[in-house]
Amino acid sequence: MPLPVLLDLVVTDTSAATPGADPAPVGLAAADAIAAAAQAVGVTALRLLDGVPGRLGVDPTVVAGYLAGRHAGLGYLVDLPTTGNAPYNAARRVLSLDRAASGRAGVVLRPGAGDEVSDAAVPDPAASDPVERWTEYAWILGRLWESFPRTALLGDQERALVVDDALVREIAHTGRFYRVAGPLDGPSSVQGRPVLVAADLDVLDWAAIAVSADVVSVSREQAPGADAALTAALDRVGRSRVDVALVGRTAVAPVDAGRAGAVAGELDGWVDADRLDGLELQVGGDPAEIAATLRALVPQLVPQLVPQLVPQLVAPGRADGPGGDGLRASLGLRASLGLPAVAGVLA
Amino acid sequence: MSAPVSGQLHLNVNILNAGVFGGSWRFPGTDALASYSIEHYTSIARKAEAAKLDAVFLADGPVLDPATRHRTGNNLEPTTVLARIAGQTERIGLVATLSSSYNDPVELARRIGDLDHVSGGRVGWNVVTTAGAVAAANFGRAGEPDHGLRYRRAAAFVAQVVAAWDARTELVSPQGRPVVVQAGGSTDGRRLAARVGEVIFSAEQDVAAARAFRAELRRGAVAFGRDPDEIVVLPGLSTVLGSTEAEARVRRELLDELLPDAYARGRLAGQLGISLEGLRDDRPVPLDLLPEPDEAGGSQTFYRLVREIIVRERPTLGALLRKLSGGAGHRIVVGTPEQVADDVETWFRSGAADGFNVMPDVLPSGFDDFADHLVPELRRRGLFRTDYTGTTLRHHLGLGLPAAPVRVPDREPLEAAR
């Protein structure tokens, strides 16, 4: 399969440029053109960031909703902080996006603080650790996304049954930060549930990530040893390394066709050295340079010949590589097989 | 006295999943599950834009409607749906319902404001306080917050959000700021509407009551220092159209037949807040079961509406269920395009409405009939635009940009109802 490639994008007001930032913020029309170029060269997904340091961009879920209807071949990962978002609302919004995008969406859950609504009813007023909050939040998202399976939709006009509600389940979650009843109002997406990405290794730890993440995004500095640490952490919670894609995040200066080969070679070397499953590119320059860089660079990245999994560690019948439709499959992940049951993770 | 209505009327289409009737999704020729796909919403929006409507409207609550077993429910989050519609249309207004009880005001202000920017100034926000214990449980609460508290929070919440939009220097709105829409028929709701609402949805049943409601709102707005012409009142209007009157009646009767009985009884019990166990279909609902409207929990608007029908008309339970037909209780008009246009014209010209929030009986077929047959009839009468003259929702609605409401000092954090 092709090497999964994510492209970071910040959409903001063109009237107020932020020079020197990686990725460079672009206006909506430029984002539309970059999305077209990205789709044409086989970029797997756009990661829509919340902003650049010190400056918010357009809400990523709004940008994703807008672009997903115009570029259906791309995946969309939206940055969403715990801050300001009650988990039920976040779960709904991301699943709606995923369903609208035919199972090609996910969320980069950013650790942070709480929201006004949840804070007023917090089960444990002493709870404050952002890693613990993130862990609980990610757990709730996963449960909510599977609370209304697609198979429950019947649409049986003869018997007047829209939904087999025996298959739709409350999650009845009570943790230290949140209490959420569920279920969600809409059915799961064609990829099972949206992809959940962890990208804040400076805040989060491997134990937290291993419980719920489908994708881990690491910087150049974080990449060495990440594969081994992730594998060990997954093992401790009964998950397999094939359940999670490790993606290397890096800034890329604008390149033309002439220099693209060298840059691609360096990136391929990094993928091999740190056992990465994909790349996340933060391309600098103006919108035309970003599009030109994608055209020059992405086709030269070496396809992943062998998925980064060790067959003997995978249970028989589950080692058949990517499955299902949507973003999950494009990232080399298996079809959603239901959430791992991780006992004792959440008190 | 209500001011005379002049000019042209305003029309929104409420894309209420499969249609307003409880049996809509079972109507012959209807894809039962179409309302669970995004294309259902984008295609109706494109049709609405071709018909030059003011806006599409999405009702919403952060909850799975317990009645979903027997009828389709709202199932996609409105801002993600409208962002997608924004990318596929150019003029049609986009009105999203979001709860003031269950959102964070900073986050909501940003998201709606950004959607407004991305859409080129076409967004409205329908403020709801969200009734019911089932929704409350998704946000850590054992029961719904008290009705008065919900509305106190809503007033302060709206003021904070509008102030945030007003203070923007980046990602500014081409229409100044999003339009604030409100739909409360309760005493608390009317006060909120008069204070902050720019478009007011109502659920009035007859023209005299609607005229009085509109006049009261306008007086209330003046009392809050507002220009009454900066308010657009849009009663809900459920339409059942046929090329002949007989055809329309047959369609209406068929919708009654398709209404799942268990759903209709469950919904009415929920609206009235009482159990219908043991009540017979051939007897009227006992009046002594019904609390006073201001003492009812949940949605007082629709409680009040149904209670009035029970008190005024004393229908049998069976007749009441058929009359509501699984809808919320909005007014239903059945007839040919000419007959429905007569009704619309009467309401509009008598000062009962500035236009309508249209809830077609079945989607998309009922809206196709509305756009293809009723809209041209309204145009022939000079009542509706032949083309857009502007690009923003404020422009379509004839609304200016009044000063942002003054921040309310009594804002309290939402108390957890435990």
Side-chain angles (χ1 to χ4, degrees), chain A residues 117-153:
Chain A
V117 177
S118 304
D119 290 352
V122 64
D124 179 356
S128 62
D129 177 49
V131 178
E132 194 185 342
R133 179 191 293 279
W134 187 94
T135 307
E136 185 178 332
Y137 201 110
W139 174 273
I140 296 167
L141 292 183
R143 261 74 198 158
L144 285 173
W145 287 333
E146 296 199 335
S147 62
F148 184 160
R150 287 169 62 76
T151 49
L153 270 186

Side-chain angles (χ1 to χ4, degrees), chain A residues 11-13 15-16 28 49-51 55-63 65-70 72 83-86 88-89 92-97 99-102 114-118 120-123 148 153-166 168 179-187, chain B residues 25-27 30-33 35-39 60-66 68-81 83-88 100-105 107 110-111 114-115 117-119 134 137-141 153 157 160 169-172 258 260 411-416 418:
Chain A
V11 177
T12 186
D13 202 330
S15 64
L28 185 67
L49 283 81
D50 214 24
R55 182 158 168 234
L56 285 177
V58 179
D59 182 304
T61 60
V62 171
V63 180
Y66 181 91
L67 291 178
R70 299 166 69 89
T83 309
N85 290 291
Y88 192 89
N89 292 337
R92 258 193 101 198
R93 196 141 40 102
V94 174
L95 182 59
S96 289
L97 181 63
R99 287 171 51 211
S102 303
D115 65 279
E116 187 176 285
V117 177
S118 304
V122 64
F148 184 160
L153 270 186
L154 301 175
D156 186 337
Q157 292 172 320
E158 193 63 34
R159 293 190 299 153
L161 290 174
V162 175
V163 169
D164 178 357
D165 50 9
V168 180
R179 188 183 289 125
V180 183
L184 276 191
D185 61 328
Chain B
W25 66 279
R26 301 176 71 198
F27 199 78
T30 300
D31 174 353
L33 298 177
S35 61
Y36 289 83
S37 74
I38 190 71
E39 290 74 21
D60 191 62
V63 64
L64 176 68
D65 185 337
T68 304
R69 180 174 168 80
H70 295 299
R71 79 149 288 166
T72 53
N74 297 331
N75 64 88
L76 287 162
E77 192 280 326
T79 57
T80 49
V81 175
R84 191 172 179 104
I85 293 174
Q88 300 185 12
S100 57
S101 297
Y102 302 126
N103 279 288
D104 188 293
E107 189 280 324
R110 177 190 178 201
R111 178 153 45 103
D114 288 356
L115 179 60
H117 173 81
V118 162
S119 69
V134 183
N138 290 329
F139 299 90
R141 283 140 178 86
R153 175 176 162 95
F157 190 107
Q160 182 177 343
T169 56
E170 287 186 23
L171 301 171
V172 294
L258 293 171
R411 181 161 191 273
E412 301 164 25
L414 185 63
E415 294 161 25
R418 291 172 192 273

Side-chain angles (χ1 to χ4, degrees), chain A residues 39-285:
Chain A
Q39 180 170 296
V41 298
V43 165
T44 310
L46 302 181
R47 175 184 170 189
L48 298 158
L49 283 81
D50 214 24
V52 290
R55 182 158 168 234
L56 285 177
V58 179
D59 182 304
T61 60
V62 171
V63 180
Y66 181 91
L67 291 178
R70 299 166 69 89
H71 309 284
L74 279 172
Y76 295 88
L77 293 167
V78 294
D79 274 31
L80 184 140
T82 61
T83 309
N85 290 291
Y88 192 89
N89 292 337
R92 258 193 101 198
R93 196 141 40 102
V94 174
L95 182 59
S96 289
L97 181 63
D98 192 30
R99 287 171 51 211
S102 303
R104 304 201 59 78
V107 63
V108 183
L109 182 64
R110 309 298 304 270
D115 65 279
E116 187 176 285
V117 177
S118 304
D119 290 352
V122 64
D124 179 356
S128 62
D129 177 49
V131 178
E132 194 185 342
R133 179 191 293 279
W134 187 94
T135 307
E136 185 178 332
Y137 201 110
W139 174 273
I140 296 167
L141 292 183
R143 261 74 198 158
L144 285 173
W145 287 333
E146 296 199 335
S147 62
F148 184 160
R150 287 169 62 76
T151 49
L153 270 186
L154 301 175
D156 186 337
Q157 292 172 320
E158 193 63 34
R159 293 190 299 153
L161 290 174
V162 175
V163 169
D164 178 357
D165 50 9
L167 298 177
V168 180
R169 300 283 172 82
E170 287 195 345
I171 68 164
H173 171 82
T174 299
R176 290 189 69 208
F177 293 84
Y178 302 102
R179 188 183 289 125
V180 183
L184 276 191
D185 61 328
S188 54
S189 76
V190 291
Q191 66 169 338
R193 58 177 193 275
V195 171
L196 191 135
V197 185
D200 294 273
L201 211 55
D202 50 338
V203 177
L204 302 173
D205 54 42
W206 288 110
I209 289 168
V211 176
S212 299
D214 300 304
V215 176
V216 184
S217 165
V218 292
S219 67
R220 288 267 187 182
E221 297 71 31
Q222 293 161 343
D227 172 65
L230 175 61
T231 303
L234 288 168
D235 190 48
R236 280 193 289 275
V237 295
R239 295 180 74 197
S240 162
R241 177 68 180 79
V242 296
D243 292 328
V244 181
L246 183 64
V247 170
R249 184 174 73 242
T250 184
V252 174
V255 292
D256 54 24
R259 290 197 301 122
V263 175
E266 191 280 329
L267 291 172
D268 285 333
W270 182 35
V271 167
D272 287 343
D274 285 332
R275 299 179 60 81
L276 302 175
D277 303 312
L279 290 168
E280 178 181 341
L281 306 180
Q282 302 176 314
V283 183

Side-chain angles (χ1 to χ4, degrees), chain B residues 134-154:
Chain B
V134 183
N138 290 329
F139 299 90
R141 283 140 178 86
E144 68 176 346
D146 165 73
H147 194 273
L149 170 64
R150 292 208 315 266
Y151 276 86
R152 283 199 306 280
R153 175 176 162 95

Side-chain angles (χ1 to χ4, degrees), chain B residues 336-348:
Chain B
T336 63
E338 293 75 18
Q339 289 171 323
V340 176
D342 287 346
D343 178 279
V344 164
E345 183 166 8
T346 299
W347 276 58
F348 180 60

